[in-house]
Amino acid sequence: MNESLLFLIPLMPLFCAVINMLFGMRLPRLFAEVMAVIGVASAFVLTVLFWGYAEGEGTRAVLFTWLNSGTVDVSFALNFDRLAAPMTLMVTGVATLIHLYAVGYMHKEDDYARFFSLLNLFVFAMLAIVLADNMLVLFLGWEGVGLCSYGLIGFWYRKLENAKAGTKAFLVTRVGDVFLGIALLWLFAVTGTLSISEINAQATSISSGVVLAVSLLLLLGACGKSAQLPLMTWLADAMAGPTPVSALIHAATMVTAGVYLLCRLFPLVSLSPVAMMAITAIGALTAIYAATCAMAQREIKRVLAYSTMSQVGYMFMAVGAGTVAGAMFHLLTHAFFKALLFMTAGCIIHLAGDENDIFKMGGLRRRGPVELFWIFLAGAVCLAGLPLTGGFFSKDGILLALFTHPDPTYKIFWLIGVVTALLTAFYTFRLVYLVFAGEYRGTGHPHSLPLLMRWPLWPLALLGLLGGLFNLPAFVGGGETLHHWYDDLAGRAVTASHEVEWMLVGLAVAIAALGWFAAHRRYRIYQAPTENAVTRFLLNGWYADALVDRLFVRPFTAMARFCSSGCDRSLFDGTLSILAKMASGWGSLLTQMTTGRLTTYLSTFAWGFLILLGWFLLKLVDGGGH
Amino acid sequence: MMIPFGHALAFAAVLFVLGLTCVLLRRQILMILIGVEIMLNAASLVFVAASAYWQQVDGQIFSIMLMAITAAEVAVALAMVVYLWRRKRTLIADDFNGMRG
Amino acid sequence: MASLLFYILGFIMLAATLLCITRRNPVHAVIYLVVSFFALALMFYLLGAPLVAAFEVIVYAGAIMVLFLFIIMMLGLAPQETPEGPGWQRWLPLALLSASLMICTLLLILQDPAAGKPIGEFYLAPQVVGEALFGRYALAVEVVSFQLLFATIGAYMLGRPLPKGEDS
């Protein structure tokens, strides 16, 4: 196989997106659906086929020269290396399953062509990020996923809330993108290249101050995309989109793009201890913030959204602690079980008759297909980090990396991680109990579940539960497959004595059990939700929206109002309108002279004649002298 | 002809003022046109007198030209008078103010 | 003798013109104007311009004035013009000013030594005028003839029946 065929991986989804965009509504529905699935499935198959190319130094494929000006030479190039390959496999694999699920989920939607073309376009943009060889291609994908995310969050744009949520997501992530753009240009100014591998190679020659600044800018860019503090407000509202979108974009793939970016530029970022500390701190704060918020949420998808933020926070902590392998490991397992949870949540909402509120569910274990409960439970135990699940191993690896970090400050972050794990277990089982236990409390009529919504859950459930096998730690007899695969890209090797490792595992088990126990005590028998200041505070996400509104939106609006009414309307428009009034006043004065009556004109004529005559006379008197 | 040139000019001037008075004071379009004719004739008188004074042919030539042009002007003007009459059944100049700004 | 005749004709002309511009009946006004033109034609003759005098009678008094009469009779214009009421006051400043200026002008013209020189004996045969017209001034004659043609076309355009709806 030719290496330039690598381009087929991102171009297949793009091709199908374009076909659906142009002809989707004119072709039979089945065709559009098959196109959409084939676009991503073929990308998945190609990734498997090309797997060998990723080994060693990876394979670089150039499609064409994009920009060429003086010393700038940017190609549209892909780099299929050891870091990109697992991510590509995950993105295409999960996307394939979610596309199949989406065919079932959207089977009553009329606007299917727009949906599937946006979804395919998203996969293309995401693959562009993952496979990008240079920062410009990465930025293209980065903006592309933002655009598709915007279009899909506001997919049901006829409801104003949805459109607003889409706009909000777009604008907030754009803030991060600005920082990423600055970082990109700064890197270019310093290194003279946009190629990621060359930037990483030159990283050690860049002065430490610049490395710190660029790393912080990259962190802010990643924060925007990955919904980390302080740019996290959009993710919870993004749940207005269709559930497959939440599963694909806002759980499995796009929100992890920030983590992937930091991993990509890890050789650069890791040079600055301060930046690493900042990454860890942001991750830790987001993790605990989102976990507390998730405890009080009432809508099933918002619970999952906050848990996504929290889990991505773990990934940031892993990057900050220096273990790329740990971050990527958690990224992969999280993608599996979180996509699973979202898709199951979609089924649950179907069964509850489009009801989102978990306090109006309950008893769904007996209402729906029996396997649904077990599948959801599989995702939940992964999220809660129960022993032997994928989520357990990946989270434990991160906590171990934090605990064993040479800098003692990281012990604080480790503690935050542990507390977050406890909260995670609690809100996960709260969700399980409220949804499945007890009697049905809602009034909705269950919709039927298409087969396509049910069977894509199985592979994800298996992947989530067995995800630990990808990178099984050595002390339980595993081979640390992922770590060895990344090899020199894996970051700091986490070494600890077996005692410490077993101690941490014991702690993790205890914490997960404690969280389960607490949720069991509180929610096994249904109680109406308590309403007090604390729950309201958590329900509204610590009033982050209000804070943003106070700090940025209102001053900005005030400034805009000043510019618009103060400057523009009063000063400029006022001046102009005074001028215009003067002109129009003169005009109307002249208009009065234009009576349209012959006599007026004739008398004016006569006056003119008279003046001429008088002038001639004066000249005559002056000149003649008599 | 032993009359002074100035006297011929004076006659022409008075004739011109009479024509102008007619144009300014009369309100009927037809009378305004007549006033214009009078003024043109005053100009014609100046041309002819000057021709005799300087013993040149050009003055008379121009008075003939003036007549031809007057004929053209009158043709159009009277056609307009008929047109206006058909539109408004009046020839009072002030009744037409369609060009008011 | 000829000089005396000139003055008599001049005053006849001014009197006829004055009567013309003050008539309320347009037919009377045109008749007085014809009288004025006859007197003017004789003055032209005295000034040595027999051809212009003939044209004055034929073209002005004959053709143009008859045209006026045709129009007046065709439209059946009664002496409908109301007497000037407040209009007089409106014109008064203009009239006074122009009258005084006019008198000054006349005085200045009559005082001027050049204007006091008499017009010498002068007679221009029609043949000489014709040669000049179709010799030196041939182009001007052509231009004027075009002007007459355009005027004819314009008069014809204006004289067409009105489109429906434009009639008041």
Side-chain angles (χ1 to χ4, degrees):
Chain A
M1 275 190 294
N2 192 332
E3 62 191 31
S4 62
L5 286 175
L6 269 175
F7 274 98
L8 285 177
I9 297 175
L11 288 186
M12 278 309 286
L14 179 65
F15 174 72
C16 294
V18 170
I19 293 283
N20 257 345
M21 227 177 272
L22 295 177
F23 310 112
M25 293 309 278
R26 290 190 185 77
L27 295 170
R29 184 185 186 109
L30 189 66
F31 182 84
E33 291 167 349
V34 169
M35 274 307 261
V37 175
I38 280 181
V40 280
S42 57
F44 176 70
V45 172
L46 283 166
T47 314
V48 174
L49 290 177
F50 280 111
W51 189 259
Y53 280 79
E55 282 166 11
E57 284 307 300
T59 306
R60 193 165 171 275
V62 180
L63 188 61
F64 59 87
T65 302
W66 192 1
L67 291 176
N68 189 359
S69 163
T71 56
V72 188
D73 186 14
V74 182
S75 310
F76 198 93
L78 300 186
N79 187 12
F80 190 63
D81 65 355
R82 281 166 292 146
L83 193 63
M87 186 80 175
T88 314
L89 200 65
M90 183 278 281
V91 168
T92 53
V94 172
T96 307
L97 291 171
I98 291 176
H99 271 69
L100 285 169
Y101 175 85
V103 170
Y105 188 87
M106 302 298 274
H107 74 284
K108 281 185 189 146
E109 173 64 41
D110 291 329
D111 214 355
Y112 55 89
R114 178 161 61 96
F115 181 76
F116 285 118
S117 55
L118 275 173
L119 217 53
N120 272 3
L121 194 65
F122 167 78
V123 175
F124 159 72
M126 189 67 208
L127 289 173
I129 296 179
V130 174
L131 293 169
D133 178 60
N134 55 55
M135 292 297 279
L136 210 57
V137 178
L138 186 136
F139 200 67
L140 171 82
W142 195 267
E143 296 299 315
V145 291
L147 175 72
C148 296
S149 162
Y150 161 74
L152 286 166
I153 293 170
F155 181 73
W156 289 308
Y157 56 86
R158 285 192 181 82
K159 252 174 85 181
L160 185 64
E161 294 165 46
N162 298 349
K164 273 189 175 163
T167 314
K168 183 177 177 186
F170 193 74
L171 289 178
V172 175
T173 52
R174 209 59 49 229
V175 174
D177 294 356
V178 171
F179 293 116
L180 178 62
I182 297 171
L184 196 154
L185 293 173
W186 199 339
L187 278 175
F188 178 72
V190 172
T191 63
T193 175
L194 282 169
S195 161
I196 291 172
S197 48
E198 282 181 40
I199 288 173
N200 281 338
Q202 293 185 27
T204 46
S205 61
I206 305 172
S207 72
S208 61
V210 175
V211 169
L212 174 61
V214 168
S215 301
L216 290 179
L217 286 170
L218 287 170
L219 171 62
L220 277 168
C223 282
K225 219 32 126 200
S226 295
Q228 300 293 295
L229 286 168
L231 300 172
M232 72 297 176
T233 51
W234 62 272
L235 188 61
D237 289 332
M239 295 303 127
T243 304
V245 173
S246 309
L248 178 62
I249 301 182
H250 306 120
T253 54
M254 188 185 86
V255 288
T256 58
V259 181
Y260 184 76
L261 173 76
L262 293 177
C263 292
R264 258 275 168 237
L265 292 166
F266 188 74
L268 173 84
V269 176
S270 60
L271 289 175
S272 165
V274 181
M276 295 293 272
M277 180 83 89
I279 294 171
T280 321
I282 292 241
L285 287 176
T286 313
I288 187 114
Y289 159 78
T292 53
C293 292
M295 295 203 311
Q297 295 302 312
R298 302 183 57 140
E299 284 177 25
I300 181 163
K301 284 175 75 180
R302 286 178 84 93
V303 176
L304 294 176
Y306 277 112
S307 82
T308 304
M309 280 159 68
S310 175
Q311 297 301 309
V312 176
Y314 272 112
M315 297 172 210
F316 270 63
M317 281 198 269
V319 175
T323 165
V324 171
M328 291 303 288
F329 181 34
H330 196 56
L331 193 159
L332 296 177
T333 54
H334 171 258
F336 297 136
F337 68 71
K338 189 50 67 65
L340 171 70
L341 281 171
F342 264 112
M343 286 154 76
T344 323
C347 295
I348 289 168
I349 293 168
H350 255 56
L351 285 178
D354 290 335
E355 178 58 66
N356 260 319
D357 192 343
I358 46 176
F359 285 96
K360 292 182 183 153
M361 293 181 182
L364 286 181
R365 189 179 168 181
R366 282 182 297 279
R367 263 168 85 88
V370 69
E371 84 264 19
L372 201 61
F373 168 66
W374 295 107
I375 287 174
F376 191 82
L377 195 63
V381 295
C382 288
L383 176 60
L386 252 60
L388 302 181
T389 61
F392 171 77
F393 286 116
S394 55
K395 192 189 285 182
D396 200 45
I398 294 169
L399 290 176
L400 181 67
L402 287 167
F403 189 75
T404 59
H405 197 279
D407 191 335
T409 324
Y410 280 75
K411 291 281 193 300
I412 299 169
F413 301 133
W414 171 78
L415 200 62
I416 294 174
V418 170
V419 174
T420 308
L422 175 65
L423 299 179
T424 308
F426 175 76
Y427 72 68
T428 310
F429 285 108
R430 166 179 178 267
L431 193 61
V432 173
Y433 278 115
L434 279 174
V435 171
F436 289 102
E439 295 301 314
Y440 182 59
R441 300 179 293 274
T443 50
H445 295 286
H447 303 302
S448 63
L449 282 182
L451 215 56
L452 268 178
M453 283 174 71
R454 282 156 64 177
W455 74 258
L457 307 175
W458 288 105
L460 283 177
L462 286 177
L463 282 168
L465 285 174
L466 304 178
L469 293 175
F470 291 132
N471 196 21
L472 211 55
F475 68 95
V476 290
E480 297 197 341
T481 327
L482 202 61
H483 195 98
H484 288 305
W485 167 260
Y486 286 138
D487 199 15
D488 57 325
L489 300 173
R492 187 170 65 89
V494 179
T495 48
S497 63
H498 283 334
E499 288 79 42
V500 173
E501 295 195 8
W502 280 112
M503 193 261 293
L504 285 178
V505 168
L507 186 66
V509 173
I511 274 178
L514 188 64
W516 186 355
F517 181 67
H520 183 78
R521 285 281 308 265
R522 176 71 178 74
Y523 290 106
R524 182 171 47 98
I525 297 151
Y526 173 75
Q527 295 167 0
T530 46
E531 281 256 9
N532 55 37
V534 177
T535 54
R536 263 200 303 280
F537 179 69
L538 295 178
L539 181 66
N540 289 313
W542 296 22
Y543 292 113
D545 276 330
L547 188 69
V548 170
D549 192 55
R550 281 285 153 72
L551 280 182
F552 297 104
V553 179
R554 275 196 222 169
F556 187 79
T557 327
M559 201 174 76
R561 199 173 294 130
F562 171 72
C563 286
S564 119
S565 65
C567 287
D568 196 47
R569 220 170 293 159
S570 306
L571 192 64
F572 300 124
D573 286 6
T575 316
L576 287 177
S577 76
I578 285 171
L579 286 176
K581 269 186 197 135
M582 272 165 64
S584 118
W586 280 107
S588 58
L589 212 69
L590 290 172
T591 309
Q592 285 172 1
M593 293 174 66
T594 315
T595 57
R597 286 154 63 127
L598 195 58
T599 44
T600 319
Y601 302 137
L602 284 176
S603 67
T604 318
F605 207 60
W607 275 109
F609 173 71
L610 209 65
I611 289 162
L612 271 180
L613 200 66
W615 188 64
F616 276 125
L617 276 178
L618 279 179
K619 266 192 80 171
L620 214 60
V621 171
D622 276 358
H626 17 244
Chain B
M1 278 299 287
M2 298 320 287
I3 48 164
F5 182 45
H7 290 190
L9 289 185
F11 274 123
V14 174
L15 187 62
F16 184 87
V17 169
L18 283 175
L20 187 63
T21 315
C22 180
V23 166
L24 290 178
L25 293 188
R26 300 304 295 255
R27 303 201 302 153
Q28 205 192 44
I29 294 174
L30 218 55
M31 290 309 291
I32 292 172
L33 281 176
I34 284 173
V36 172
E37 300 305 310
I38 295 169
M39 285 153 76
L40 282 165
N41 269 292
S44 211
L45 179 58
V46 174
F47 272 127
V48 173
S51 171
Y53 181 66
W54 277 293
Q55 314 271 316
Q56 294 285 329
V57 74
D58 309 72
Q60 292 189 18
I61 299 285
F62 272 97
S63 74
I64 290 170
M65 296 283 181
L66 202 61
M67 261 178 235
I69 288 166
T70 309
E73 174 245 314
V74 165
V76 178
L78 288 180
M80 277 178 176
V81 166
V82 174
Y83 177 79
L84 292 174
W85 174 260
R86 285 206 310 222
R87 284 195 65 149
K88 281 206 152 173
R89 295 280 149 193
T90 174
L91 285 181
I92 305 300
D94 285 348
D95 290 349
F96 300 95
N97 59 355
M99 297 272 280
R100 186 170 59 208
Chain C
M1 182 61 199
S3 303
L4 188 63
L5 200 58
F6 185 86
Y7 287 112
I8 292 168
L9 285 169
F11 283 112
I12 290 174
M13 177 194 74
L14 290 183
T17 309
L18 194 64
L19 285 169
C20 160
I21 66 173
T22 49
R23 290 312 89 186
R24 283 186 61 200
N25 190 330
V27 178
H28 296 178
V30 170
I31 301 291
Y32 278 116
L33 195 60
V34 170
V35 173
S36 153
F37 285 164
F38 275 132
L40 192 62
L42 286 173
M43 285 167 80
F44 286 161
Y45 181 79
L46 290 179
L47 286 169
L51 190 68
V52 180
F55 280 158
E56 179 78 17
V57 173
I58 297 167
V59 177
Y60 258 115
I64 295 177
M65 283 305 116
V66 168
L67 204 57
F68 268 92
L69 271 182
F70 276 168
I71 296 298
I72 291 163
M73 289 169 176
M74 190 176 98
L75 303 181
L77 292 180
Q80 58 183 176
E81 201 175 347
T82 47
E84 321 291 331
W88 279 109
Q89 278 138 32
R90 193 153 60 96
W91 292 112
L92 205 60
L94 187 63
L96 285 178
L97 197 57
S98 52
S100 50
L101 275 177
M102 196 64 225
I103 290 162
C104 294
T105 315
L106 282 177
L107 288 175
L108 275 173
I109 287 173
L110 298 177
Q111 265 186 8
D112 195 273
K117 278 205 289 186
I119 299 170
E121 284 302 326
F122 181 65
Y123 180 79
L124 210 56
Q127 191 194 351
V128 183
V129 179
E131 275 165 2
L133 259 181
F134 293 101
R136 264 200 296 157
Y137 290 100
L139 189 65
V141 171
E142 286 303 316
V143 171
V144 170
S145 71
F146 269 110
Q147 176 135 20
L148 279 167
L149 179 66
F150 299 149
T152 318
I153 295 168
Y156 169 72
M157 292 297 289
L158 285 167
R160 283 184 315 168
L162 286 178
K164 267 184 192 163
E166 278 198 40
D167 213 330
S168 62

